[in-house]
Every structure is written in structure tokens, then in C-alpha cells.
Amino acid sequence: MADGISKNKDLTRRDFLKFVATTGAIASLSSFPFKNLEAQAPFGKHPQEKPIYQIKKKIPQVCARACEADCAYYVIVAHDPVTNLERAITLEGRPEDPVSNGKFCIKGLAFVDSIYDPDRLMVALKRTNPKKGTDNDPGWVTIKTEDAVNEIIQSLKKFKPEEILMCSPGDPYTNKLARSLGVTRSDQRTECFGTHYYINCLTLTNPPNKYYSSTYTPSHHVAGYDYDNAKYQIWFGFDSLSKCGKAGMLVHWKNAKKNGCKVVVFNPLRTPLADAFATEIYSIKPGTDLAVALAMMNIIIKDKLYNVKFLKDYTDAPALVDMKTKLTIKTKEGALMAWCETHKKAEPIDVCHKPVMEGGPYKLTIDNKEYEVKPILQYIKDTVKAYTPEWASKISEVKESVIIKVAKEFANAKPYAFIPTYKRDAAGPNYANSWRLRHAINILNTLTGSIDHEGGVILLHDVKIPWLEDLAKPVKPYPEQPKEPVDFRNMFPVTDEIYKNKDFSAPGHYGMVGWGLYKTQKTKAVFFRNPYRGLYAMIQPQMVEASLEKMDLVVDWNLYLDDIGYWSDYVIPAPHQFEEGKFDIRLYYPKWPCYVGGSPVQKSPGDQIGWGSLAVKIGMALAPEYWTTDGSGDPNKRVPLNMSDHALKNAGIASNTAEFMNKGGFWINKKKYENYKTIREIGYGRPNGRVRMFIDEFKKVDFEPVPVWAQRWHDAKGEYKFSMLITRAPWIMHADPNFINNPVLRKITEKNYMDCVWINQEAAKEIGVKEGDMVVLENNPEFLKELPRPVKAKVHITNRMLRKDCVLLFHGIGHRAKNLKVAGNWGYRDGDLIPQKDPNIVKKHDPTGMGWVEDVYVSIKKA
Amino acid sequence: MKTYAILIDTSYCTGCNTCSYRCIQEFRSHTQATNGLFRTFVAINDGGLYHKRCMHCFDPECVKVCPVNALSKSEYGPVLYDQEKCIGCQSCVKACPFSIPQYDEKTQKILKCSLCAHRIAENKEPACAEACPTGAIQFGESKAILGKAKEIAKKRKMTIYGLSEASGTHTYILTIGSPKKAGYIDVKKGVPKIKKSSIESIGAMPIVAGAIIGGLKKLEERKRKIAEENKNKD
Ligand code: SF4
Ligand code: SF4
Ligand code: SF4
């Protein structure tokens, strides 16, 4: 338990009465806002006035895996009258946490209850029936976890590195394990963060940078948003229903509203989030947000409404582009060049005092070679010239006048104006053109100068948690990664370069990994460090299922036996996240440098093994040279793992984590945000870092270096005319049994019709269905050619659906494993309708290689 | 003595139901919730967010009809329920104009919000109010809360549900447009019947005096007095 918790809050009722009686000074209880408590105290006779539980401990914890915000809070441990046990009961906020501002959400609360979920996996399981699938009894035998791990290690020895796939997010342990074994790591975060992560890498910062931390990439942001101080925000489908429950963000949106920030929403769905926080809501045709963004770029540049100083000093806007190759011109040292208005010649961008940003072409001779060049801003201006508001209106079905108005208002609110994007919004990995939208958004945020500015896009600074490799450098370079990885990332050099050479924790390519497993049969062993998500979280899981059936070895490390277990040979029990220590930085509101920690609430009650311990065990057995400081493999020379100790010591906060936790597990430096300082440190061309709008890398793979209009992949055809929108119930995350196996959350979901598919009245009339009717949804076989699996679901008719050509599906439900008492066989699975992608198709549309999870049109028929 | 009230500004609510779940944890009422019984629940309706929860009426019908006095109106606001006394007759279920008390067939008891009376006594605001991430739920002295509700309603052109419904309540729900659109039940309106006791309070008295007065009065006495006052007024 942390010190520094107000003693008053720990008072029992009797103590409290005593306290009141002796001091008689209620006002001294600073947290109590009601002056006449004395009046009630003697009343406490009514049964409902008696305390329900007695708080024993408040344990600091940090949310993880329930959303990206990672709120810090206390877990309240008390004597529970229902079970008569001392157990975790609920949460209490930490007001000092800059992310959560003392709040938490329903998912955090649900984690408290999932500690005690009777379906939690307590022991390791080993399959005896070789026939896999949810319809077959695996014939589990229980086995000591240690024995299971040893057997797995022995099995893994039989495979070549290129035959093993590690399905796991890129945490420090996974990274080291996958790299030391030379195996491919791929993970489903592609569908959550992929596009955001890669476009940020290409425009804002080239990893690894000064603040590149071991917890930086799991949530894939170097950038947070200063909603609290913003004046203008545009949300392109940003307001999903899933965001309705993210306390670490809600508290900031609330502040924005209180401060009068204008929020303009484009979304074919009217969410309660927009009802609460939007100033204006406009319906938009799904997958066409890019058109609106391009028209906004056009207006802002044409009318010169951009932030001139920011563009000149902190971006590549003045940098010169060779009009022939469409690549930037660089000095021998690799610096960008600018055209000097005074000297009428090209100079290195950081040297030039009066660079031009428009005009040209200028003629330039370098090494006797002649070039025709234009500054990047002019290049973008030329590119977006055709994207008039009238043009965008035809595509997006948003009124021309709205586009003009919003573009001007947005630019006029600079630099306190930005477009936020997180996980699954229109700029996420949703459509084949989403990467272009994401790029356009970064350019729009650059045009207002909101990047690295208070009230804008704020950047992580002055905190760093080292990687395992920072603590002990590997004695020799890690082995080569497989030449032809099963997720085809090698076909996407723009992102593969980042993954292979810069940030091994970068998101993998789940949009194609199922395709690869199914089509190539290269992989013989799959290791899912995939806690709490299972197959039902994937796109076209039927393809993964079919390939796992033939796999030699499948291992799942999981808190539950879920549907992935039915295709696994071993299931290894994982601890609950509240049974682990935590150490984190504040990525989602990185305004101030801050570290926060959490302590285990209890010891895992079964034969669980933590991920770190498991990875070390496998690493020490299979690649000991990389897991020992001197490469000897001697168990006494194991590499140090105390990353948090190092972070705290380097920052001079505490000599180790234990000391930090004893002090309360929280440190913050609430200094003033220094505008445009961090971009210098982490941007392109550092130490004089800049934002890049122009991406040479795209040109090198035959895509335009700046955003241009492109259609989504799917188009409506015949009966396949309902664009599939996907969201989650606000209290469900990651298709995770922590939530979907919770009977209360199931009830709340059903009471809010979030186990249904949503369409509007007009659509319902067209297909002839009534509220509550069962319908069948099918994808067009032209797009989902193999293993179709139609979805059967109940219909909910609602005017929250603003267009008749859309259907809303709720992600996360649709679990098939029978052993999960609540989640098993509840609801439908959205992923069944989303095709795994042929990499050759992806390559034509998207150089980042994402999964386009909403790029689907389906038919809906009465069942 | 002073009374307390709840304000829900639905224009800050996103329907996340953190309030509902926090309430369930506070009362360890997971089993009831699994069966669809909630002290508070937020329905994301087409026309807005419907918070189904006890309004803590000034003059509660449920209290009037309960044959065994299992329900009582406390002098500081909450309508309290004593499950020991309850015989499960469901009179309150039928009488409540807001359709609030929920009958649990398993336990043959009622489930209803207590305004977290136990927490008020423990120096804490109700669990739902403490948890709400957007501050949509606020708790405080009736006078201040009502003042705030009126101020917001005026400034942002919102309607206050619970102000005059059932002749006044301790729950003020601010909605944009008609509350009915969001799902709130149309309840007969009336002028708040309880003059000083419920919302005015003896605010002018010094705190210590308030304590003595409050402390000496028994709940039953208070209840009788209120009934008398009401009779006199009718
Ligand atoms: S916690 Fe607050 S925002 Fe969430 S549903 Fe309840 S009142 Fe609304
Ligand atoms: S709302 Fe219904 S249950 Fe609540 S006090 Fe009024 S009459 Fe009773
Ligand atoms: S006041 Fe207490 S009992 Fe009533 S809804 Fe809120 S948390 Fe539940």
C-alpha cells in the first residue's frame, strides 16, 4: 500500500463518528463539501445508512489493455459482505494523474471483478485429442505449468526460425525473444493502431528517438492531444461508441467543452459522444472523409490561412522537390534544401534565412546536373488544386458550404486547432484510403501549427523507459529475420524498414497474416502471446482456424481458455493484470513528464506464469547467448530486466521501483509546456527536427508522396449495399473475456441493443425487417472469395444511423468456446465478414499494408 | 437540517454506464444486475440518455403505499428502504410514477437507489457521482444543486426533469429538448408540496444548531410531521 493516502479516507465509520465527536470540526475534513454532516451522523441507524464494506487497503494500479489511456487509480481492497472474503471491491481515482484526472471507467471497474471470474484459467492445459476446433473436445489434461513450458521449449527446437510465428504485441520481452530466435513477430494491433503508428513515424518522428521508450509503442503514440486547451477540433468518425467509455479521454473532452472548444463531427453514425461534445454533426458517406480533408487543404493553402512561421521554421514546407523524380533534393549530408528569396539560390534548409514556400519551378544545378524544383508547400498546393469543396461535396455528400466554413474556422483557430485520431476511426486502418486520410490529417495539423503546441498535438517529452537492449547490449547482432515472413511485410518496404531496422515493436500485419498462414503453409508453430483476445478478435478468423488445424504446434498464453485454446496444443495460464506490477509513462496526455506505477493486488491464485518470466525461460533455453550479459548462457549471467529501476534512477526520482512505490508510485513535473521544443528533438533532421509533410518513401514505391484522392477498396454492388461500420460497446474492449465473460456487462450490452446490428428506419423498410428480427449479413463473394461465413444477428432500428446505406456492427462478441459460461456462443462475430487480404491487392492500394477492417459492403436479408 | 440532491446533466453524459457499474460494486449487487435489476442504468436511446434511477421524491408515493413502512423519506433527502421490513408486496412498484422500484423475484425484495446514504454519512459523495468521468452527475446540498440546475437550464436552454414532476424531487435531470424524447416517463407535475423542509432547510441556522436539531429527531417523528404538514396544506 502506498503512503500518502489521506488518512481521513481510511476512517471506519466508528472512527469517523469518534472523530466528529471529539473534534467537532467537520470543516477540517478538506475533502468533504457538505457542511452539516454532524446532523446525519447520529442518524446512521437505518440499515441503508450503514457502511457496506470496510476498506482495508488502497493499492495503486495502472489500467492496461482496457483502452489506450491507461488511467492510474487505486484498487480498493475490503472485506466483502457477500463472499465474506477480503477482496478487491472497486476502484478509487488518483486526481493527480494527468491522464485520468482522478477518474476511471466501467472497464477498469470490470477488471476488479474479473480477478474472481470463475472461468479464469488456473492451470496449464495440454491437448490429447489431435482434432482441433470448437466442436471437438480437446481432451485436455492438466499439467504443471513448468512442465508444459519445458515441453514447449523442446518442441520449438524442432522448427526453423522461419517456421515459427510469434503473435504478440511488441513489448520488450516479446521483442527480445522474437529477435533472439530470429522469428517473425506479428500482431493484431495493426487493426487498432497500424496506420496511425506508421504515418506518425513517417511524418513526426523517425524512431528510435530520444524518448523512444519500451512502453511507447504498445499504444503507438508519440503524440497526445491537448483537448483541454483546444479551440477547434474536427472529428472524422473519431467519436466511436467505444470511445464513450474511455475515462482518460472523456475527462479531457469534458474540459474542452467547458472551455468552449468547438468540435465538428463527420460521421454516418450519431453517437452519444457527439451528442455530448460536438458543436456540429454532419453525416458523411463512409470512406470519403479523405475528400473533405483534401478540400480543406486546398482552401487553407489557397487562401494562405496557414501558420507561416511554423511552416517555415518547423516543417518541410520550404524544402525543394525535384519535379522530375518527385523526390526531395538533399545536400550530401542528407539535409533538405530550400530556395532563398534573398540569395535566389538553394541553401540547406536550416541555413536559409528567407526560404520561399510557394512559387517555382526554380532552376537548380548540382554537380552539373540541372533540376527543376518547387517548394513542398507549392507542390501540395498544385496537388490539391483540383480538390475543390464542390468536388468533395459530390463524393462525401457533405455540403460544399460546410466544407468551406469548417476549413476556414479550423485555420482561423490556429494553433489551437487540430484533428485528433486514435484507434478505429476513419483515419485508422479502416479503408484502403485511410492511410492517405491519416497523412492528410497530419498535414492539416501541420498547417495550423498545432503540432507540439499547447492546445494542439502535444508530444511526449523528458521521460524514457529503457528497452532490455538498453540495459544490456546484445553480445552480437541478432540473427537475420526471415526473408519471407508469413505476414508478407517484406512486400511493404515502407513499413518493413521501420519494423526491421528502427522499431521492432511496430505493429505487424494481421490483415494478411491469416492469408499467409492459410495460403503458404510456411509456418509450423504459432505462439500466441495474445492474452484475452482470441480468434474472435481477428479478421476472417475462419482462415486462421483452418490453418491452425494443420499446424504442428500451437501455444496460447492466456488468462482464459478461450476459442484460440480450441486450436492450441498447450494453453498456459497468465496472471490477471492486477496481479502484476506496473510502470508507465503518460502517453495519452503527455503534457508533463510523469511516471506512474502499480503494485500487485494479490498473488496469482493458480499455476500462472507472467509473460516476462515465460519469455526469459524460453530465451534462456533457446537463445542463451542473447539472454546473458556475456553471451555465455550461464544462468547467473542473465541479462538485467529491471527497466523501471533504470528509468527512475536516470531521472533521479528514486533509486529503484520499490522505493518509488513506497513513496506512492507517482511522479510528475508540472512545468510549462515548451511549444515547438520537442519536435526539434524528435522530428526529422534532428537536432533541428521538423515535421515532414512530403514522404519520399511513398514515392519510392510508386505512390504519391502527398495525399491524393483514392477510392476505398470495396464499392456497393447490387444487394451488397450496406457499408459496414464497426464499433464496440463502451464497456467491451478487445473481444476480451475480462469483459464479455462478465454477466453484468452482458446484460448492459443487451439492454442497450449492442448485441444487435444497427440500421435506420429507411433501411429497415427497404429490406422489410422490424425491430428484433433476425437477419443474415453476407459479404460480396467478389471480395471475400474463400471460406465465407455469413453472420446471423438481431436487428435494432435506430435513428442514430444517419444513412440508409450503412449497418453498424459491434466488435468483441461472438465467442464460440463453450467453456466460457457467459461469453460462449453469445452474439455474432464481425470479423467473419472482413476478408483477410491478398497482399497483392493490398499492395495496389496501401504502401503501409494495413487490414482495412471497415472496407466492406454487405447484404442484409431477413433470416 | 440541510438536504441533498443529485444533478444529472445529460448533455455531459455519454452513456458509458460507469455510474451503473460503480453502483453495483458499491452494493455488491452483481447477481441482481445479471438478472437485469439495476439501482441506476443509463439507456442510450435515440432521443438522448435515459437515466433510470430513483428520483427521491419530496412526497414519495412508494412511502405512502408501503404497508409495513419499509420505505421512508429521510429528512436529508434520500428515500430509504429497509429490506428486513419489506414483505415483497410490490405496492411501491405499482405506485411509483417513475417506475423505479424493481422487484427481485429471487429474493422477493425491492431494489432501489438509496442516494448512497451510507456514503453521505461517511464523508463521501454517492458512488455514481464520484465515478462519473465527465462530471455529468453532481451531488451536493439541494439548494446549491437546484441553483446550479436552474442556471445551466437557463444558459443552455435545457429542461429540468424532476423539478416539478410528482410535486418535486431530489433528482434534477437536465435534458436537451423534451425529457420524454430521451425516455423519461411523463409524470404529473405539481408545485413542490414540502415547503421548507426538503429543499430550503434551516440554512440560516448555525451549523452546530443544525446538528443538535437534526440529531435529536427520530426518522419516524420526522415522517409523521411531514405527513401532517402535507395534510394541513391539502
Ligand atoms: S458515468 Fe457519467 S457519463 Fe457515464 S453513463 Fe453515467 S452519467 Fe453518463
Ligand atoms: S421515484 Fe418512485 S421510488 Fe423513488 S421516491 Fe419517488 S415514488 Fe419512491
Ligand atoms: S446514489 Fe448510490 S445507490 Fe443511487 S444510483 Fe448512485 S451509486 Fe447507486
Side-chain angles (χ1 to χ4, degrees):
Chain A
M1 183 185 151
D3 293 335
I5 296 167
S6 155
K7 291 276 183 308
N8 293 337
K9 286 188 184 160
D10 278 335
L11 288 178
T12 63
R13 178 175 171 75
R14 184 187 291 151
D15 288 344
F16 177 67
L17 293 178
K18 235 193 281 164
F19 178 75
V20 169
T22 50
T23 64
I26 291 304
S28 69
L29 284 177
S30 57
S31 65
F32 191 62
F34 327 116
K35 292 193 192 71
N36 66 332
L37 183 72
E38 303 98 312
Q40 274 96 62
F43 278 104
K45 294 276 180 327
H46 192 283
Q48 286 197 315
E49 289 168 335
K50 303 230 159 79
I52 295 161
Y53 51 84
Q54 302 256 306
I55 297 178
K56 302 278 190 206
K57 277 186 269 182
K58 295 184 185 188
I59 300 167
Q61 259 295 344
V62 188
C63 217
R65 300 190 283 267
C67 89
E68 322 85 88
D70 297 347
C71 295
Y73 42 58
Y74 293 107
V75 177
I76 301 299
V77 174
H79 181 86
D80 172 31
V82 178
T83 53
N84 217 10
L85 296 170
E86 186 172 313
R87 55 160 273 178
I89 293 276
T90 188
L91 302 178
E92 208 175 277
R94 292 197 79 157
E96 66 275 31
D97 173 21
V99 169
S100 70
N101 287 359
K103 298 292 182 177
F104 43 77
C105 83
I106 182 166
K107 288 168 287 170
L109 292 172
F111 270 136
V112 172
D113 290 318
S114 68
I115 302 177
Y116 310 100
D117 184 338
D119 288 345
R120 264 189 71 179
L121 186 61
M122 292 293 162
V123 290
L125 300 174
K126 181 181 176 179
R127 162 183 298 278
T128 55
N129 178 3
K131 201 158 168 37
K132 294 177 175 178
T134 39
D135 293 332
N136 304 304
D137 178 357
W140 294 124
V141 290
T142 60
I143 169 172
K144 268 176 71 182
T145 297
E146 200 188 337
D147 296 340
V149 173
N150 288 334
E151 288 186 22
I152 292 163
I153 288 170
Q154 289 314 315
S155 296
L156 283 171
K157 283 184 181 161
K158 287 183 239 149
F159 305 106
K160 296 192 201 98
E162 58 271 27
E163 292 171 341
I164 301 172
L165 173 69
M166 180 94 220
C167 289
S168 168
D171 62 88
Y173 293 99
T174 303
N175 277 2
K176 190 165 177 70
L177 188 58
R179 293 176 82 179
S180 61
L181 302 181
V183 306
T184 300
R185 182 191 65 75
S186 191
D187 67 90
Q188 75 197 63
R189 291 164 313 149
T190 321
E191 268 66 70
C192 303
F193 306 104
T195 311
H196 299 305
Y197 172 76
Y198 286 116
I199 300 294
N200 273 349
C201 277
L202 293 163
T203 56
L204 298 185
T205 180
N206 195 2
N209 63 54
K210 197 173 165 184
Y211 305 117
Y212 174 72
S213 279
S214 59
T215 59
Y216 145 145
T217 38
S219 48
H220 295 290
H221 264 265
V222 285
Y225 300 102
D226 193 8
Y227 304 106
D228 301 50
N229 300 293
K231 294 200 176 119
Y232 205 98
Q233 295 173 50
I234 298 170
W235 293 3
F236 284 114
F238 175 76
D239 54 317
S240 58
L241 273 157
S242 59
K243 288 201 187 83
C244 291
K246 298 186 175 180
M249 301 166 204
L250 287 174
V251 295
H252 299 286
W253 297 328
K254 170 204 78 179
N255 290 342
K257 175 166 169 162
K258 287 234 152 91
N259 294 336
C261 176
K262 182 157 183 179
V263 176
V264 176
V265 167
F266 296 101
N267 199 338
L269 166 72
R270 183 175 53 85
T271 63
L273 198 65
D275 285 347
F277 300 123
T279 331
E280 289 163 21
I281 304 173
Y282 299 103
S283 170
I284 188 168
K285 189 174 178 191
T288 66
D289 311 66
L290 172 64
V292 175
L294 291 169
M296 285 180 58
M297 284 167 59
N298 176 357
I299 296 163
I300 294 171
I301 299 176
K302 182 169 62 68
D303 294 356
K304 297 195 192 304
L305 299 173
Y306 46 77
N307 189 325
V308 177
K309 189 164 166 41
F310 180 74
L311 288 187
K312 274 197 180 153
D313 293 351
Y314 297 98
T315 78
D316 64 355
L320 299 175
V321 178
D322 173 5
M323 294 312 291
K324 209 155 125 207
T325 59
K326 292 192 179 173
L327 294 171
T328 48
I329 298 276
K330 287 186 178 143
T331 63
K332 283 199 186 78
E333 293 74 36
L336 295 167
M337 308 278 282
W339 188 261
C340 178
E341 204 184 317
T342 318
H343 302 128
K344 305 274 182 260
K345 63 171 181 122
E347 295 171 352
I349 198 164
D350 292 332
V351 172
C352 181
H353 287 93
K354 215 171 176 203
V356 299
M357 294 198 291
E358 294 192 35
Y362 304 101
K363 283 208 164 54
L364 191 65
T365 313
I366 304 174
D367 292 341
N368 293 327
K369 237 179 115 189
E370 288 214 339
Y371 296 92
E372 280 209 338
V373 297
K374 276 187 183 178
I376 282 174
L377 192 66
Q378 180 63 47
Y379 185 95
I380 297 174
K381 190 178 176 179
D382 296 345
T383 309
V384 296
K385 205 170 150 203
Y387 305 136
T388 62
E390 191 193 354
W391 165 87
S393 175
K394 275 193 198 117
I395 293 175
S396 63
E397 295 172 25
V398 175
K399 273 196 194 143
E400 193 185 334
S401 57
V402 168
I403 300 172
I404 298 170
K405 185 185 82 134
V406 171
K408 290 189 173 170
E409 285 177 354
F410 176 73
N412 288 334
K414 65 180 175 285
Y416 297 90
F418 62 87
I419 304 170
T421 59
Y422 287 144
K423 294 184 72 176
R424 286 197 182 188
D425 48 44
N430 283 351
Y431 302 104
N433 64 12
S434 287
W435 64 280
R436 302 178 194 262
L437 173 62
R438 189 62 178 76
H439 189 182
I441 285 174
N442 273 13
I443 292 179
L444 284 163
N445 289 342
T446 303
L447 292 175
T448 61
S450 70
I451 291 176
D452 199 19
H453 195 286
E454 195 168 31
V457 184
I458 44 178
L459 301 178
L460 182 71
H461 58 281
D462 293 324
V463 280
K464 181 176 159 89
I465 305 179
W467 295 83
L468 288 173
E469 287 78 1
D470 296 331
L471 268 49
K473 212 171 166 285
V475 283
K476 55 177 184 181
Y478 285 127
E480 279 280 300
Q481 280 282 302
K483 292 240 152 23
E484 291 186 345
V486 67
D487 65 357
F488 303 102
R489 62 202 321 158
N490 56 314
M491 290 172 65
F492 300 85
V494 177
T495 47
D496 193 35
E497 164 70 9
I498 293 171
Y499 166 77
K500 262 198 347 222
N501 300 327
K502 293 173 177 172
D503 177 13
F504 194 75
S505 73
H509 291 60
Y510 251 41
M512 294 173 294
V513 77
W515 185 276
L517 289 171
Y518 182 71
K519 293 277 178 183
T520 69
Q521 270 131 43
K522 267 186 225 165
T523 305
K524 305 234 158 48
V526 185
F527 196 116
F528 291 96
R529 182 255 139 139
N530 202 15
Y532 332 142
R533 293 176 199 187
L535 275 171
Y536 46 89
M538 293 177 203
I539 66 179
Q540 210 181 3
Q542 52 267 46
M543 215 167 230
V544 184
E545 288 167 13
S547 47
L548 293 186
E549 265 165 34
K550 299 191 201 104
M551 216 56 75
D552 293 341
L553 176 71
V554 182
V555 181
D556 182 26
W557 178 81
N558 203 328
L559 184 62
Y560 290 85
L561 166 62
D562 63 27
D563 55 359
I564 231 165
Y566 285 78
W567 278 269
S568 297
D569 298 286
Y570 294 91
V571 187
I572 307 294
H576 187 278
Q577 64 136 317
F578 285 167
E579 290 160 359
E580 294 170 324
K582 306 267 178 66
F583 186 69
D584 206 356
I585 44 184
R586 310 282 66 201
L587 286 168
Y588 271 68
Y589 200 68
K591 196 157 185 184
W592 303 285
C594 178
Y595 290 103
V596 54
S599 304
V601 170
Q602 64 171 29
K603 235 178 113 236
S604 290
D607 196 12
Q608 285 90 348
I609 182 167
W611 174 243
S613 312
L614 180 52
V616 170
K617 250 187 143 147
I618 300 173
M620 283 294 283
L622 299 180
E625 63 276 31
Y626 294 105
W627 288 82
T628 42
T629 45
D630 56 358
S632 64
D634 176 353
N636 297 318
K637 303 255 171 74
R638 201 205 61 206
V639 294
L641 308 168
N642 54 343
M643 293 168 283
S644 47
D645 289 346
H646 279 256
L648 289 162
K649 218 168 147 184
N650 291 342
I653 295 164
S655 52
N656 57 42
T657 315
E659 186 194 319
F660 178 65
M661 290 316 296
N662 279 335
K663 285 187 190 161
F666 186 84
W667 176 90
I668 193 164
N669 178 3
K670 276 208 161 182
K671 61 176 186 178
K672 206 176 148 26
Y673 191 85
E674 292 172 78
N675 297 331
Y676 306 143
K677 177 172 181 255
T678 306
I679 197 65
R680 286 288 189 232
E681 297 172 346
I682 69 169
Y684 276 82
R686 48 197 184 236
N688 243 315
R690 288 169 187 266
V691 178
R692 287 204 312 177
M693 296 189 281
F694 187 98
I695 311 298
D696 285 323
E697 288 90 327
F698 289 152
K699 183 67 211 141
K700 288 178 188 158
V701 289
D702 294 329
F703 284 89
E704 277 295 317
V706 298
V708 294
W709 169 247
Q711 301 267 13
R712 52 189 281 190
W713 174 44
H714 260 214
D715 208 356
K717 266 190 193 159
E719 57 180 350
Y720 305 99
K721 60 182 175 188
F722 297 96
S723 188
M724 194 161 118
L725 310 177
I726 302 171
T727 191
R728 272 188 325 260
W731 36 86
I732 287 176
M733 187 75 173
H734 289 322
D736 176 348
N738 275 297
F739 312 114
I740 53 170
N741 204 47
N742 175 322
V744 176
L745 294 184
R746 175 165 174 173
K747 200 58 179 191
I748 299 178
T749 308
E750 289 166 349
K751 276 170 75 96
N752 270 311
Y753 307 101
M754 293 185 189
D755 57 338
C756 301
V757 296
W758 291 13
I759 53 174
N760 75 11
Q761 192 70 47
E762 246 182 294
K765 222 164 125 190
E766 238 175 58
I767 48 178
V769 293
K770 294 187 307 297
E771 176 73 22
D773 277 352
M774 291 303 288
V775 290
V776 175
L777 284 77
E778 264 178 282
N779 195 337
N780 188 340
E782 243 183 73
F783 293 95
L784 195 145
K785 292 198 171 82
E786 287 170 85
L787 306 175
R789 192 150 69 183
V791 153
K792 208 171 153 187
K794 218 190 312 174
V795 123
H796 174 55
I797 302 169
T798 162
N799 70 21
R800 289 195 171 275
M801 300 298 292
L802 301 175
R803 299 175 58 97
K804 65 169 186 174
D805 58 357
C806 296
V807 56
L808 180 70
L809 275 76
F810 288 84
H811 178 64
I813 48 178
H815 200 287
R816 310 238 158 111
K818 297 175 181 77
N819 62 298
L820 291 180
K821 289 182 209 67
V822 179
N825 282 323
W826 168 42
Y828 57 84
R829 184 149 60 180
D830 58 335
D832 290 359
L833 294 169
I834 310 166
Q836 277 279 334
K837 309 289 180 304
D838 177 341
N840 292 307
I841 292 175
V842 178
K843 223 179 149 196
K844 276 190 216 146
H845 298 264
D846 181 349
T848 65
M850 291 299 120
W852 322 334
V853 291
E854 288 185 17
D855 210 327
V856 172
Y857 274 95
V858 292
S859 65
I860 309 177
K861 286 185 204 124
K862 203 166 163 175
Chain B
M1 68 181 291
K2 292 198 174 169
T3 67
Y4 299 106
I6 277 238
L7 165 67
I8 302 176
D9 181 347
T10 62
S11 77
Y12 273 87
C13 173
T14 63
C16 71
N17 274 291
T18 301
C19 49
S20 320
Y21 205 91
R22 181 63 189 81
C23 174
I24 291 160
Q25 288 188 332
E26 185 70 9
F27 294 93
R28 322 304 306 144
S29 58
H30 298 68
T31 310
Q32 282 108 324
T34 301
N35 295 325
L37 308 169
F38 294 78
R39 277 182 170 76
T40 183
F41 182 81
V42 187
I44 301 174
N45 287 339
D46 284 10
L49 295 148
Y50 171 44
H51 287 245
K52 188 176 168 75
R53 55 154 70 208
C54 177
M55 302 295 287
H56 299 286
C57 306
F58 287 171
D59 187 15
E61 296 298 327
C62 56
V63 173
K64 281 190 219 161
V65 299
C66 178
V68 291
N69 287 338
L71 286 150
S72 58
K73 176 74 183 173
S74 73
E75 48 183 11
Y76 54 102
V79 173
L80 298 177
Y81 165 68
D82 185 344
Q83 115 169 346
E84 294 300 312
K85 288 187 186 159
C86 176
I87 52 169
C89 72
Q90 300 184 60
S91 304
C92 57
V93 176
K94 289 172 207 130
C96 173
F98 298 95
S99 266
I100 295 303
Q102 296 179 63
Y103 182 63
D104 183 348
E105 291 187 1
K106 288 238 170 70
T107 59
Q108 306 197 334
K109 301 282 179 188
I110 295 303
L111 196 78
K112 189 191 81 60
C113 160
S114 59
L115 209 69
C116 281
H118 68 294
R119 287 177 62 97
I120 299 177
E122 271 198 322
N123 184 16
K124 291 170 176 165
E125 48 182 339
C128 55
E130 185 186 279
C132 173
T134 64
I137 308 179
Q138 290 175 48
F139 175 78
E141 284 178 23
S142 296
K143 217 172 154 183
I145 286 288
L146 181 59
K148 206 175 216 175
K150 285 186 169 163
E151 191 193 313
I152 299 172
K154 199 172 148 202
K155 211 161 99 193
R156 311 218 326 268
K157 294 192 186 68
M158 295 177 82
T159 308
I160 311 177
Y161 182 80
L163 183 63
S164 47
E165 273 76 11
S167 302
T169 76
H170 283 265
T171 306
Y172 307 119
I173 299 174
L174 288 164
T175 64
I176 294 171
S178 134
K180 205 174 157 187
K181 217 177 60 188
Y184 296 91
I185 297 174
D186 232 341
V187 170
K188 213 171 142 226
K189 292 189 184 178
V191 185
K193 278 182 190 163
I194 303 165
K195 213 171 55 199
K196 282 221 149 183
S197 54
S198 250
I199 106 140
E200 254 349 288
S201 89
I202 357 177
M205 280 211 181
I207 291 170
V208 178
I212 295 163
I213 293 166
L216 291 177
K217 282 181 181 156
K218 291 243 166 66
L219 294 178
E220 277 70 23
E221 280 170 21
R222 184 74 184 145
K223 204 175 117 189
R224 221 178 301 130
K225 202 168 154 238
I226 292 171
E228 263 168 35
E229 275 176 14
N230 289 342
K231 231 179 270 159
N232 295 343
K233 257 178 273 148
D234 284 345

